[in-house]
Amino acid sequence: MSQNLLEVNDLVKHFALPHPLLEKARGKKAANVHAVDGVSLSIAKNETLGLVGESGSGKTTLGRTILMLEKPTSGKIIFQDRTLTDLDDEEIRQLRKKMQIVFQNPYSSLDPRARVKDIVAEPLRAFKDISSDVAEEAVIRATAAVNLSPDSLSRFPHEFSGGQRQRIAIARALILEPEFIVLDEPTSALDSSVQAQILNLLRNLQEEMGLSYLLITHNVNVVKYMANRIAVMYAGKLVEVGNTRDVLEKPLHPYTSALISSIPQPDPRRRLKTVAAIGEVPSMVNLPTGCRFNPRCPYAEGICRQQEPSLREILPGHLSACHFSEKFQ
Amino acid sequence: MQNLLEIRDLSVKYKSAVKEIKALDNVNLSTDKAQIVAIVGESGSGKSTLGLSIINLLQKPPAVVDSGEILFNGNDLLKMKEKEMADIRGTGISMIFQEPMSSLDPVYTVADQIAEAIHVRETRTPTRSYGPFSRTNPELKRGTDGGLSRIIGIQLPKSRKEFAYSGEMVDVLKRVQIADPERVLNKYPHELSGGIAQRVMIANALVEKPAVLIADEPTSALDVTTQAQVLKLMQDLRDEIGSSILLITHDLAVAAQIADRVAVMYAGELVELADVTEIFEEPLHPYTEGLLNSLPRQYRDEEKLQGIPGDVPDLRAPPSGCKFHPRCKYAFDKCPLERPELITVKNNHKVACFLRHQE
C-alpha cells in the first residue's frame, strides 16, 4: 500500500493521571485518560481527510501524535514508507520538514515579539545550512503563496487581524515545502466571512503544491467543503470512515447520524425537529463497557453493552464500528 | 402599540486616554412579547455591547453612552438608578453568556444558585447589585451545606430556602434535560461539563421567568449535539413563559433555527433587519448576502465558496460613509461619502444601503 502517504495502525495514546496519595495507599493503579485508543487510518497523496468529533473526543491528540509531537503509547505511524515510531529523534526531526501543523488560535500560535518574516523563516532556521539570501527568497515565496502583501513582512502579529494571522501561520507551515499538513481547527477562531477566504486558500495551495491534509474540526460543514474522506471520532476511537458524500448522506453509525442531524443549517425552512443524542461525551477515564456510544445510542441492545464493535468495512471504502451497521444501510 | 423593549438611537463608545472606539452607532431595534430576535454579526460588530447596554452591565468607563434611550415597558433603562435596575435584572431582563463556567459563581453549588434565582422571583427584593460581594440582606444568606456535607460525609439539614424550593429546583433541572437533578444540585460549577453548566444557566432563567432574555452566544462554546438541545430549550422558554429573547450570535445557522426576526450588525451599525425567512431568502444588504455566501454548504467537488474579500474594519479608524463600502462589490461613488440610513424598503424589511434605497 505504498500509494498512501501516511498510514496509522492501531495508534494508542494514553495520558496518566496524577496518582492521588490515598488511592496509592489503597494499592490502586493510576488512572489513564484514553485520548486515542486504537486508531487506524490512511491518507493518500493530495487527499484531505476530515477528522470530526466533539470536544474531548481525542481528535487533536490524534493529530499531534501522528506528527510525533506526543509520544504514542503504542501503535505504528508510517509516513512515506518509513515507520516513524521506530526512528530516533534526529531522524524524526529531519522528517518533520515534510510534516507541518497549523493551529486553531492564530492569536496564541504566533510569537508576539517576532516580526512576520522571522516567524515565517523560523522553520528554515531550525534546519540551519541555509543562507540568508535563500531564506529571504523562501519567505517571500511563502508569504506570496498565502496572499500576504510584501510590506507586511517587517510588521508584528498584533498589527494583523485573525484571518491575516492565520495566513502567516500557514506561510510558516509551507516554507519547508511539506507534503503533509495537520490543520487543527484552522478556521474556528475566525469570522465566517474570513473563514471562506482561508478555506479557499487552503484548497488552492493543496492543488498547487500537491499537499495532503488531515483537517481536524468540529464543524461538519467545513469538512464537507474541504475533505475527500471523513473520519468520525468518538471517545478516542474512529466510529465511521468513508467518502465525504457517503458518510454525510448515508451514515452507517448512529453517532454519525446524531451528529449530522444536530447541525443547524442556515435555512429557516429546515429547522431541527428532534433532538437526537441525549447526554454527554463519556468520561475518557472511565469509559462505558462495550460500545462507547451505547449509553447515548437509541438503538443500543444487550450486545452493545458487552462487546466493543470493531471498525469494519460495511460497503466498499465505507467503514463503521457498530454491531448493527448493516441495518442502517 | 408599545413594544416591550425599544432601543432608540443608541450610540456607545469605548474611550481611553489615547483612543476612542465607536462600538454602537445609532442603533434602533425593538422587540415584542414572545419574539425571538437574533442579532447577527462578526467580531467587533457591537452585538455584545448592545446586549450589555440593555441590561446595563457595560463597564463604565471605558464605555460611554453617547446618546439614545432603551425603553423597557416604557421606562428608560439608561436613566435608572442602579437600585431600580437591579430590581429589573433577573425577572425583568435576564442575560446568559457564552461561557457558562465563568457566569456561574464558583463558590456556590448549583442548588444555591438556583435557590437564589427562585428567591429573587418570590420576593423581588434585590439581594445584591452585582457580583458576589455586594450581598446585603442577611435573611437571604445562602446555604453552605453542599460542600461541608460532602467533606464530612453527613447530610446536613438544608437551609430554609433550599428546603422550600427543592421541589421546584428538581423540576426545573428536569425541564432542561438534566438526567440526575439531585446529584447535579449538589455540585459546584467546576464539576459540570459545559453543556450541563449552560443548562443550569437556562434553568436559572426559567425560574426567573424574565420578560426579556438576552442570550449572548449561548451555544458557541458547546458541541453541536448539545447546541441543538440548548436552542430547543430557548424556544420552550419563549413558548411557555412568553419571554422575548435577544439571541446574539455570529452563526447565521443558529439564527435560522430559532429566530423570528434577524438583525444584522456590521462595525457598530445595524445594516439590515427583517423576518427570518426574508433575510435568508432575499437578503438586501450586500454584507448579509456576502455573509450567507461565505457559509460552506457544498461538497468539495461542487462550486467554490464566494466569501467576502478583505477584513472586518478596524473601529479605531472606521471607513467613511457606509462602513462596508471597501469590501462591497456593488459600491459606487456615493457610498464612501455618506452614511446610508436604515430604511424600510418593503414589508417590514429594513436595510441601510443606497443601492436598495434607490430602487
Side-chain angles (χ1 to χ4, degrees):
Chain A
M1 291 252 289
S2 56
Q3 79 268 32
N4 280 331
L5 180 76
L6 175 87
E7 232 171 277
V8 173
N9 287 324
D10 205 18
L11 191 68
V12 175
K13 176 68 195 174
H14 289 174
F15 294 99
L17 284 179
H19 204 159
L21 268 182
L22 200 69
E23 304 276 289
K24 202 170 190 173
R26 286 182 189 154
K28 278 192 188 166
K29 271 193 189 164
N32 278 325
V33 176
H34 302 248
V36 176
D37 219 0
V39 167
S40 302
L41 54 83
S42 64
I43 298 176
K45 197 166 165 44
N46 219 352
E47 184 185 47
T48 301
L49 177 69
L51 182 64
V52 290
E54 294 178 282
S55 50
S57 59
K59 51 192 196 304
T60 293
T61 306
L62 176 58
R64 292 178 57 91
T65 313
I66 286 174
L67 296 183
M68 299 291 285
L69 294 172
E70 306 280 354
K71 201 175 157 13
T73 308
S74 68
K76 245 187 194 182
I77 303 161
I78 302 161
F79 179 74
Q80 290 185 327
D81 296 324
R82 299 184 69 185
T83 308
L84 298 188
T85 30
D86 294 344
L87 301 181
D88 65 32
D89 289 354
E90 180 52 30
E91 286 170 307
I92 287 173
R93 209 179 78 87
Q94 288 303 324
L95 266 178
R96 283 250 168 79
K97 287 184 203 165
K98 297 289 166 206
M99 325 161 60
Q100 292 289 318
I101 184 165
V102 174
F103 297 100
Q104 168 169 8
N105 192 339
Y107 292 87
S108 59
S109 65
L110 304 178
D111 182 348
R113 282 182 282 185
R115 292 178 194 276
V116 169
K117 58 181 170 197
D118 296 320
I119 293 172
V120 175
E122 178 95 37
L124 282 178
R125 239 173 274 129
F127 296 97
K128 32 187 182 306
D129 59 347
I130 287 168
S131 75
S132 61
D133 286 2
V134 179
E136 208 180 310
E137 224 171 87
V139 168
I140 289 170
R141 242 183 302 134
T143 46
V146 298
N147 306 325
L148 274 178
S149 61
D151 62 313
S152 52
L153 287 179
S154 43
R155 286 156 67 188
F156 290 96
H158 75 262
E159 298 173 62
F160 294 90
S161 67
Q164 302 286 14
R165 285 182 215 214
Q166 203 57 304
R167 285 174 200 270
I168 298 169
I170 294 170
R172 173 174 62 184
L174 289 176
I175 198 154
L176 290 170
E177 297 176 359
E179 303 196 12
F180 172 60
I181 303 182
V182 172
L183 303 166
D184 189 359
E185 303 271 12
T187 58
S188 304
L190 305 180
D191 283 314
S192 36
S193 73
V194 180
Q195 164 172 291
Q197 297 171 18
I198 299 293
L199 294 181
N200 281 339
L201 171 69
L202 288 168
R203 273 177 54 168
N204 293 342
L205 291 170
Q206 177 169 44
E207 269 166 48
E208 286 159 24
M209 309 172 84
L211 296 166
S212 303
Y213 291 144
L214 175 66
L215 172 65
I216 299 170
T217 177
H218 67 281
N219 188 329
V220 178
N221 285 333
V222 166
V223 165
K224 183 177 172 188
Y225 182 61
M226 297 291 287
N228 305 92
R229 287 191 305 134
I230 290 187
V232 182
M233 197 162 183
Y234 185 79
K237 288 211 157 207
L238 296 188
V239 295
E240 184 157 359
V241 182
N243 288 325
T244 306
R245 254 205 183 81
D246 296 344
V247 172
L248 293 185
E249 282 166 19
K250 293 173 206 115
L252 294 177
H253 195 284
Y255 175 64
T256 316
S257 313
L259 193 65
I260 293 169
S261 69
S262 41
I263 303 163
Q265 294 300 331
D267 181 353
R269 292 189 197 275
R270 283 170 56 205
R271 293 192 165 174
L272 301 174
K273 284 185 196 77
T274 49
V275 177
I278 301 293
E280 304 260 321
V281 178
S283 146
M284 303 291 274
V285 181
N286 298 310
L287 288 160
T289 55
C291 172
R292 291 169 187 202
F293 186 58
N294 88 66
R296 301 172 75 186
C297 182
Y299 310 103
E301 288 180 24
I303 184 173
C304 304
R305 284 178 274 274
Q306 286 148 19
Q307 203 181 324
E308 185 154 19
S310 57
L311 188 68
R312 59 209 166 89
E313 195 159 8
I314 311 288
L315 294 166
H318 194 163
L319 290 72
S320 166
C322 172
H323 293 300
F324 302 110
S325 280
E326 281 80 2
K327 236 171 59 179
F328 301 119
Q329 273 183 43
Chain B
M1 203 189 83
Q2 196 186 34
N3 286 311
L4 177 63
L5 182 74
E6 193 164 342
I7 300 159
R8 287 188 192 157
D9 294 324
L10 184 66
S11 294
V12 173
K13 61 185 172 200
Y14 292 102
K15 217 171 173 176
S16 75
V18 286
K19 60 189 175 192
E20 198 177 285
I21 288 173
K22 227 173 184 181
L24 288 179
D25 200 351
N26 266 306
V27 171
N28 286 287
L29 184 68
S30 61
T31 164
D32 267 340
K33 205 167 181 311
Q35 193 178 43
I36 301 181
V37 180
I39 301 170
V40 178
E42 296 180 283
S43 51
S45 62
K47 54 191 194 300
S48 292
T49 304
L50 181 60
L52 289 172
S53 313
I54 297 168
I55 198 162
N56 220 331
L57 287 180
L58 276 177
Q59 200 170 8
K60 306 177 195 169
V64 180
V65 176
D66 260 355
S67 67
E69 347 180 80
I70 301 173
L71 301 177
F72 175 64
N73 286 327
N75 302 316
D76 189 355
L77 299 178
L78 294 173
K79 294 211 177 74
M80 276 184 193
K81 296 201 177 70
E82 179 53 41
K83 201 162 157 27
E84 294 171 290
M85 190 63 218
D87 265 337
I88 286 176
R89 282 194 203 111
T91 50
I93 302 174
S94 188
M95 184 156 182
I96 54 179
F97 297 89
Q98 173 168 2
E99 289 292 338
M101 288 303 173
S102 49
S103 26
L104 287 168
D105 196 329
V107 300
Y108 293 103
T109 61
V110 171
D112 291 332
Q113 307 197 34
I114 297 181
E116 186 188 12
I118 299 177
H119 197 87
V120 165
R121 183 198 69 208
E122 293 297 314
T123 57
R124 200 53 271 192
T125 43
T127 57
R128 58 187 194 187
S129 54
Y130 184 67
F133 302 116
S134 9
R135 210 172 290 112
T136 46
N137 193 339
E139 205 197 307
L140 299 182
K141 228 174 163 181
R142 296 195 277 192
T144 48
D145 57 314
L148 189 62
S149 63
R150 282 204 306 187
I151 293 166
I152 60 177
I154 302 166
Q155 191 72 37
L156 292 178
K158 286 191 164 72
S159 71
R160 208 163 25 138
K161 201 171 60 178
E162 261 185 52
F163 184 75
Y165 300 143
S166 56
E168 183 174 353
M169 290 198 289
V170 169
D171 284 347
V172 74
L173 289 189
K174 278 189 187 147
R175 278 282 295 107
V176 296
Q177 290 172 16
I178 289 175
D180 41 0
E182 286 87 358
R183 201 170 56 87
V184 170
L185 276 175
N186 271 322
K187 289 200 171 194
Y188 286 91
H190 76 269
E191 300 173 280
L192 308 174
S193 69
I196 299 282
Q198 195 61 291
R199 274 177 251 208
V200 169
M201 288 302 295
I202 292 181
N204 258 334
L206 276 170
V207 298
E208 286 170 332
K209 303 190 169 53
V212 176
L213 176 71
I214 303 165
D216 189 356
E217 302 274 9
T219 59
S220 305
L222 308 178
D223 283 313
V224 280
T225 50
T226 322
Q227 165 171 286
Q229 297 165 31
V230 169
L231 291 179
K232 177 80 176 51
L233 283 174
M234 300 201 14
Q235 250 171 328
D236 293 349
L237 188 69
R238 186 268 303 270
D239 295 342
E240 287 165 29
I241 298 171
S243 300
S244 109
I245 298 175
L246 284 181
L247 173 70
I248 299 170
T249 179
H250 71 283
D251 190 343
L252 279 167
V254 166
Q257 289 304 308
I258 66 167
D260 302 308
R261 266 173 94 66
V262 177
V264 181
M265 293 194 69
Y266 186 76
E269 292 174 12
L270 201 60
V271 297
E272 186 162 4
L273 177 65
D275 289 342
V276 66
T277 39
E278 275 275 312
I279 216 141
F280 282 90
E281 283 164 18
E282 266 181 86
L284 291 181
H285 198 283
Y287 173 63
T288 315
E289 184 193 322
L291 211 53
L292 283 166
N293 285 338
S294 36
L295 296 177
R297 311 172 207 213
Q298 63 271 56
Y299 286 103
R300 182 188 165 94
D301 48 15
E302 292 167 346
E303 59 183 309
K304 278 215 168 163
L305 274 180
Q306 289 304 316
I308 306 175
D311 258 306
V312 179
D314 182 350
L315 288 179
R316 283 169 295 188
S320 61
C322 169
K323 286 177 185 156
F324 186 61
H325 84 262
R327 302 175 75 186
C328 182
K329 57 181 171 185
Y330 309 111
F332 57 106
D333 47 358
K334 196 179 179 186
C335 301
L337 303 176
E338 247 180 88
R339 179 189 156 171
E341 298 276 331
L342 187 73
I343 298 174
T344 307
V345 289
K346 58 176 186 182
N347 41 14
N348 233 343
H349 194 150
K350 293 181 179 180
V351 64
C353 177
F354 291 126
L355 204 66
R356 306 297 175 189
H357 294 171
Q358 287 174 337
E359 278 171 6

